[in-house]
Amino acid sequence: MRKLSLLVVFMMAFFMLVGCGSGGDEPAADEAAEETYETLVVGYAQIGAESEWRTANTASIKETAEQLGVELKFSDAQQKQENQIAAIRSYIAEGVDVIGFSPVVETGWETVLQEAKDAGIPVIMVDRRADVPRELYATYLGSDFVEEGRKAGNEMNTLLPEGGKIVELVGTVGSAPANDRYDGFRETLADNIEIIDSQSGDFTRAQGKEVMEAFLKNYGDEIVGLYAHNDDMAIGAIQAIEEFGLKPGVDIKIVSVDAVRGAFEAMIAGKLNVTVECNPLLGPQFYELALRAVNGEELPEWVPSEESVYYPENAAELLPERKY
Ligand code: GZL
């Protein structure tokens, strides 16, 4: 009897062990569960708060995280690259799942992005692009800035069929939007339009006004057109043009980029002639890409955003529905 009991106990123990070890349909210990928005932890290194566009972009990143239940760690670098790099390093140290950032300038990112790669943390470039090897980022989500420049050039040709002398307010020196809008504009600008001066206003209203004051002091009413790389600089320039005694949008035709609410208001007032859209509402696409990246999916090198061009004729009708 005793032997029979021992045999039964042994057999029960054996099958219990085998059953546990069989694997059955439980996942093996090393198969990590898929992340969801609710478990995702994202570190985002934002450039700053230099323009209406940036404010809308930040709102989209923060509000979408809230809506999805994503844990967002967010930093504002006051337009300083060293602050963005420090923020990315802090996210690496905290072991976030994904890092998102909008590189204030194109160069100087390779070291810190290599550190993120070594830590196994995917990086998504949002809005602006950095000049780094493909293996250092999961994808780039942003606009075709060269195309924005091309569109602006075509609009300036339409506004100045007789040609003439124009000036240019360039964005942040070294940034992808400034470099590409500069190049794209020159691809399509007509030969009878001459860019007599081109200076950076760093994408801000204050500096856009300051540089336009200097242009007007140097060239006065020779200037018949202004190309501004963003609406904030154009709005600053509009103030300078009025203070100089000329009519913005009439004496000086103005083409700018972003399509923020301030640009619609300026077009309604007849002071701005065209704004080329650059969509800042990138939050939803960013988190969708972040989740795919953290769950191991290979992403395309570039996910471009859809954009349009807006004119005074329907600015008043469109303004109420503008989200930024
Ligand atoms: C463009 C974005 C630019 C905007 C500016 O994608 O990086 O930066 O055009 C903003 O308004 O400051």
Side-chain angles (χ1 to χ4, degrees), residues 3 25 33 37 48 50 144 162 218 291:
K3 278 187 182 165
D25 53 0
Y37 285 129
E50 74 283 358
D144 182 344
E162 305 303 312
N218 295 337
L291 196 59

Side-chain angles (χ1 to χ4, degrees), residues 53-245:
W53 190 97
R54 189 65 55 199
T55 305
N57 178 241
T58 290
S60 179
I61 296 296
K62 289 185 172 176
E63 287 164 13
T64 308
E66 190 79 29
Q67 288 153 12
L68 295 174
V70 170
E71 182 183 342
L72 174 65
K73 298 173 187 292
F74 186 91
S75 60
D76 170 336
Q78 286 95 42
Q79 286 192 279
K80 291 183 175 57
Q81 179 173 33
E82 61 271 23
N83 292 349
Q84 280 194 294
I85 291 172
I88 291 171
R89 288 209 162 105
S90 72
Y91 299 145
I92 294 169
E94 291 175 65
V96 299
D97 293 319
V98 183
I99 291 171
F101 82 119
S102 177
V104 60
V105 292
E106 288 193 271
T107 56
W109 302 99
E110 203 147 336
T111 303
V112 73
L113 295 192
Q114 185 61 56
E115 291 167 20
K117 181 178 174 64
D118 296 345
I121 301 176
V123 172
I124 295 176
M125 297 193 286
V126 182
D127 164 33
R128 300 185 188 178
R129 204 185 44 255
D131 181 16
V132 293
R134 174 68 184 95
E135 66 270 13
L136 293 185
Y137 60 96
T139 188
Y140 161 56
L141 164 63
S143 306
D144 182 344
F145 302 127
V146 179
E147 183 57 22
E148 292 169 352
R150 293 190 193 103
K151 290 176 182 175
N154 288 325
E155 296 300 334
M156 190 63 83
N157 298 340
T158 304
L159 289 164
L160 298 173
E162 305 303 312
K165 295 179 176 179
I166 71 170
V167 290
E168 179 183 32
L169 287 170
V170 176
T172 299
V173 174
S175 69
N179 292 339
D180 293 354
R181 288 171 186 165
Y182 182 98
D183 292 341
F185 186 70
R186 285 156 178 75
E187 282 184 26
T188 57
L189 195 66
D191 294 340
N192 64 352
I193 297 177
E194 181 192 0
I195 303 171
I196 57 174
D197 209 336
S198 174
Q199 303 291 332
S200 177
D202 205 21
F203 284 132
T204 69
R205 289 191 184 196
Q207 291 182 60
K209 182 178 183 198
E210 210 174 289
V211 174
M212 192 67 205
E213 284 165 349
F215 285 155
L216 289 162
K217 188 159 171 279
N218 295 337
Y219 310 102
D221 57 11
E222 269 187 273
I223 302 169
V224 294
L226 163 66
Y227 168 44
H229 288 193
N230 84 329
D231 295 332
D232 285 73
M233 293 191 293
I235 291 164
I238 285 167
Q239 291 166 7
I241 293 166
E242 289 180 313
E243 288 169 10
F244 186 77

